[in-house]
Amino acid sequence: MASREFSLIDNYFKGKGHQRKDVVLGIGDDCALLSVNDNTLLAVTTDTLVSGVHFLADMDPRAIGHKAVAVNLSDLAAMGADQAWLSLALTLPDANDKWLAEFAGAVIEVCDYYGVTLVGGDTTRGPLSVTITAQGKIPAGKQLTRSGAKPGDWLYVTGSLGDAGLGLALLQGREEASSDHREYLINRHCYPTPRLLAGQALRGVASSAIDISDGLASDLGHILKASHCGANLFLDKLPLSQALLGTVSLEAAWHYALGAGDDYELLFTVPEAQKGALDTALAHCGVKHSCVGQLRGGEGISYLNHGQTVDLNVCGYEHNWS
Amino acid sequence: MASREFSLIDNYFKGKGHQRKDVVLGIGDDCALLSVNDNTLLAVTTDTLVSGVHFLADMDPRAIGHKAVAVNLSDLAAMGADQAWLSLALTLPDANDKWLAEFAGAVIEVCDYYGVTLVGGDTTRGPLSVTITAQGKIPAGKQLTRSGAKPGDWLYVTGSLGDAGLGLALLQGREEASSDHREYLINRHCYPTPRLLAGQALRGVASSAIDISDGLASDLGHILKASHCGANLFLDKLPLSQALLGTVSLEAAWHYALGAGDDYELLFTVPEAQKGALDTALAHCGVKHSCVGQLRGGEGISYLNHGQTVDLNVCGYEHNWS
């Protein structure tokens, strides 16, 4: 499940009812972890995208198909899982052949790209929404969870942050950008890249991980809460794209990076002793990584710019109720 | 996936894209079957219930919660799987505490009853719908599929048929019944019983199986198509409850049994040589079974009443487009 999942699941379902012994990790992380044999854990995640909530109602069906798959694969990446299978539940107001062909084409294309097989599904009539359940496999004991971080661990992110949030703002007419930047930023919003190779490479290296769906501040908060730590975040180290910096002010860029969400980059922590191993592990994953902070005792996030404390009021992107 | 799934999934997704070698059975049966080790198959099914399509908009949230879990467990039963885990994706127009508490209570209660653990979920804002992915385990090679039936095999169903369809008609004011019958029939519609013990007991005994979600005629059609057979159906052997027979005419009862759907009983075939084993296998499953026909060569369903051909025009219950 994505971090965007809100407290309703926790309040009404978490820890309730019978807990099977083969459930290694239940509700509350990016995926559930289920024991299927002595050597392998199954990682399972479910995410729903609702029209008008998680994507604009007139969004290109190819983007909806791509994004629905990508956000679920991103949850697998955040656990360090090897992606394997998808189930699709599609609810549609009517059977529009062109829409369906484009949506399905995008779903199949992303699945093929990542070597995932669509194994089942259900199609129903109703208001447009897409629910995907993705499954992957992890060598037992190698999973990345939110709860393994310790004070002193370094905080990293993959890729660049804030692009997807600005892309949405451009689509909604809240911001304007040059045509080059605009295309890049909107693509980052519509076609996120699940960091599967990076997640797998982080097994045995990272002490915790999560994917950034709600914004760095909010998703870091999940790691801090689960790991009982606080963090210093280095604003001057945030990886911000030329397109983001070329379109909005530095302070606005910080806010997009920290609060806008939908980046689907990985946020992870690495113990000091593993910093060397990290560069080797991620050398061939096709995505850069940046050290953006360090965990400490206490709680909450302190924002620093070139070593100076900055008072920021970051509002996380909220798809849902909280 | 339930048999109610319609051809959209087949048309746009089935057989498309990369097929992993660990996918033993993909789109097109009650569950997908995935190989997780040499001895075990994972059975996975996804079903969505949409308000106003699969349940009445004002339906008791306990019934919605029960039914959403039960119809998915019924798909596991139809494969002969041992039920294990559920993921829940709930889309809700607003956060109504009373509604949620009742819905969640019912979900947990059914899970507990069947020893299933809810391992994850996603809750989003939008028009009411519930998507559940259920998973179970099957000893490798013991799965029940739709495609194993042969001419000469006998056709069986568990329980009684048509009750749920009449229950819906009562809720919609299309029929009237005595208060005793009314309560029984509406409960059969709102609180279906997944035949898990029966499905498991049928491993090694039945040659094919499916659960009855769209009505006997429609779901038998799926077995006949997958197994390349025809069938003679004995109308005088249909298991019809006293409540059904006490409320509508015999011919109307046949139509409810054959076409109304939502029974979630198992429909299965048994080779002549296994008929003795069948009674032993199902002796302690808490549900009766009835022989309602026999497979033959050719195709399609012939309806017989005490050996005489009857010309029936059965319309399957269609939740969706076809």
Side-chain angles (χ1 to χ4, degrees):
Chain A
M1 68 211 84
S3 58
R4 80 163 67 87
E5 243 171 282
F6 53 123
S7 54
L8 285 183
I9 282 281
D10 281 8
N11 291 349
Y12 290 94
F13 296 100
K14 190 176 176 181
K16 303 288 200 307
H18 170 70
Q19 299 295 309
R20 292 170 59 95
K21 286 187 179 145
D22 55 14
V23 178
V24 174
L25 192 63
I27 291 170
D29 212 300
D30 293 287
C31 296
L33 295 176
L34 311 171
S35 178
V36 289
N37 65 46
D38 290 348
N39 306 317
T40 310
L41 294 174
L42 202 65
V44 185
T45 180
T46 293
D47 259 312
T48 298
L49 302 189
V50 178
S51 176
V53 179
H54 303 91
F55 56 86
L56 303 173
D58 61 354
M59 195 172 180
D60 185 333
R62 287 169 297 194
I64 299 171
H66 176 102
K67 191 162 186 169
V69 177
V71 304
N72 278 281
L73 295 183
S74 180
D75 281 322
L76 295 181
M79 302 299 286
D82 298 318
Q83 68 276 15
W85 313 300
L86 281 190
S87 299
L88 167 72
L90 174 63
T91 302
L92 268 181
D94 52 59
N96 177 322
D97 190 69
K98 180 168 177 291
W99 192 99
L100 263 164
E102 291 183 359
F103 173 85
V107 167
I108 299 295
E109 188 177 309
V110 193
C111 285
D112 276 0
Y113 185 84
Y114 292 105
V116 169
T117 300
L118 182 73
V119 296
D122 190 18
T123 317
T124 50
R125 189 197 296 266
L128 181 59
S129 79
V130 188
T131 297
I132 284 181
T133 300
Q135 303 202 71
K137 303 175 190 178
I138 310 176
K142 298 292 188 188
Q143 63 271 26
L144 307 174
T145 66
R146 300 176 181 180
S147 60
K150 297 222 160 17
D153 288 359
W154 295 94
L155 190 66
Y156 286 84
V157 294
T158 57
S160 61
L161 301 181
D163 298 336
L166 180 53
L168 177 60
L170 293 171
L171 284 171
Q172 293 177 325
R174 291 185 281 112
E175 302 268 12
E176 290 186 2
S178 70
S179 62
D180 273 11
H181 289 344
R182 181 180 168 85
E183 186 182 350
Y184 167 83
L185 294 162
I186 288 176
N187 271 337
R188 289 277 286 163
H189 173 76
C190 294
Y191 297 94
T193 305
R195 300 301 185 188
L196 288 156
L197 285 177
Q200 291 149 17
L202 289 171
R203 299 194 296 232
V205 176
S207 53
S208 73
I210 193 171
D211 70 323
I212 302 179
S213 54
D214 298 344
L216 175 55
S218 173
D219 291 310
L220 175 55
H222 293 300
I223 285 184
L224 299 181
K225 188 177 173 193
S227 297
H228 309 291
C229 294
N232 295 326
L233 197 75
F234 312 146
L235 295 170
D236 50 300
K237 304 290 190 191
L238 288 177
L240 305 173
S241 69
Q242 287 305 313
L244 182 65
L245 290 170
T247 305
V248 299
S249 71
L250 178 61
E251 188 157 346
W254 288 346
H255 279 276
Y256 277 111
L258 296 170
D262 269 345
D263 286 315
Y264 298 101
E265 297 294 346
L266 295 183
L267 170 67
F268 56 96
T269 57
V270 176
E272 174 73 26
Q274 296 284 352
K275 282 187 79 169
L278 175 67
D279 292 334
T280 309
L282 293 187
H284 303 291
C285 292
V287 63
K288 68 174 179 174
H289 57 285
S290 308
C291 183
V292 298
Q294 189 173 26
L295 298 209
R296 54 168 170 74
E299 56 185 29
I301 305 173
S302 306
Y303 297 99
L304 304 169
N305 187 28
H306 298 289
Q308 302 296 307
T309 301
V310 176
D311 196 16
L312 277 187
N313 181 20
V314 178
C315 299
Y317 184 74
E318 190 55 73
H319 301 273
N320 298 299
W321 311 294
S322 55
Chain B
M1 68 212 81
S3 60
R4 82 163 63 87
E5 242 173 281
F6 52 123
S7 54
L8 285 182
I9 283 280
D10 281 8
N11 291 348
Y12 290 95
F13 296 100
K14 189 176 178 182
K16 303 289 201 306
H18 171 70
Q19 299 296 310
R20 291 171 58 94
K21 287 188 179 145
D22 55 13
V23 178
V24 174
L25 192 62
I27 291 170
D29 212 302
D30 293 288
C31 295
L33 295 176
L34 311 171
S35 179
V36 290
N37 65 46
D38 290 347
N39 306 317
T40 310
L41 294 174
L42 203 65
V44 185
T45 180
T46 293
D47 260 311
T48 298
L49 302 190
V50 178
S51 175
V53 179
H54 303 90
F55 56 86
L56 302 173
D58 61 353
M59 194 172 181
D60 185 335
R62 287 171 295 195
I64 299 171
H66 177 101
K67 191 162 185 168
V69 177
V71 303
N72 277 281
L73 295 183
S74 180
D75 281 321
L76 295 182
M79 301 300 286
D82 298 318
Q83 67 277 16
W85 314 300
L86 281 190
S87 299
L88 167 71
L90 175 62
T91 302
L92 269 179
D94 51 59
N96 177 321
D97 191 66
K98 181 167 177 291
W99 193 97
L100 263 164
E102 291 184 359
F103 173 85
V107 167
I108 299 295
E109 188 176 309
V110 193
C111 285
D112 276 0
Y113 185 84
Y114 292 105
V116 170
T117 300
L118 183 73
V119 295
D122 189 20
T123 319
T124 49
R125 188 197 295 267
L128 179 60
S129 78
V130 188
T131 297
I132 284 181
T133 300
Q135 302 202 70
K137 303 174 191 179
I138 309 176
K142 297 293 187 187
Q143 64 271 24
L144 306 174
T145 67
R146 300 176 180 181
S147 60
K150 297 223 161 16
D153 287 359
W154 296 95
L155 189 66
Y156 287 84
V157 294
T158 58
S160 61
L161 300 181
D163 297 336
L166 179 53
L168 176 61
L170 293 171
L171 284 170
Q172 292 177 325
R174 291 185 280 114
E175 302 268 11
E176 291 185 2
S178 70
S179 60
D180 274 10
H181 290 342
R182 182 180 168 86
E183 187 184 349
Y184 166 83
L185 293 162
I186 288 175
N187 272 337
R188 288 276 287 162
H189 173 76
C190 294
Y191 297 94
T193 305
R195 300 300 184 189
L196 288 157
L197 285 177
Q200 292 149 17
L202 289 172
R203 299 194 296 233
V205 176
S207 52
S208 73
I210 193 170
D211 70 323
I212 302 179
S213 55
D214 298 343
L216 176 56
S218 173
D219 290 310
L220 175 55
H222 293 300
I223 285 185
L224 299 181
K225 188 177 172 193
S227 298
H228 309 291
C229 293
N232 295 326
L233 196 75
F234 312 145
L235 295 170
D236 51 300
K237 304 291 189 189
L238 288 176
L240 306 173
S241 69
Q242 287 306 311
L244 182 65
L245 291 170
T247 305
V248 299
S249 71
L250 178 61
E251 187 157 347
W254 288 346
H255 279 276
Y256 277 111
L258 296 170
D262 269 344
D263 286 314
Y264 300 102
E265 297 293 347
L266 295 183
L267 170 66
F268 56 96
T269 57
V270 176
E272 174 74 27
Q274 296 284 352
K275 281 188 81 169
L278 174 67
D279 292 334
T280 310
L282 293 187
H284 303 291
C285 294
V287 62
K288 67 174 180 174
H289 57 284
S290 309
C291 183
V292 298
Q294 188 172 26
L295 299 207
R296 54 168 168 75
E299 57 185 28
I301 305 173
S302 307
Y303 297 99
L304 303 170
N305 188 28
H306 298 289
Q308 300 297 309
T309 301
V310 176
D311 196 15
L312 277 187
N313 182 19
V314 178
C315 299
Y317 185 76
E318 190 54 73
H319 301 273
N320 296 297
W321 310 293
S322 55

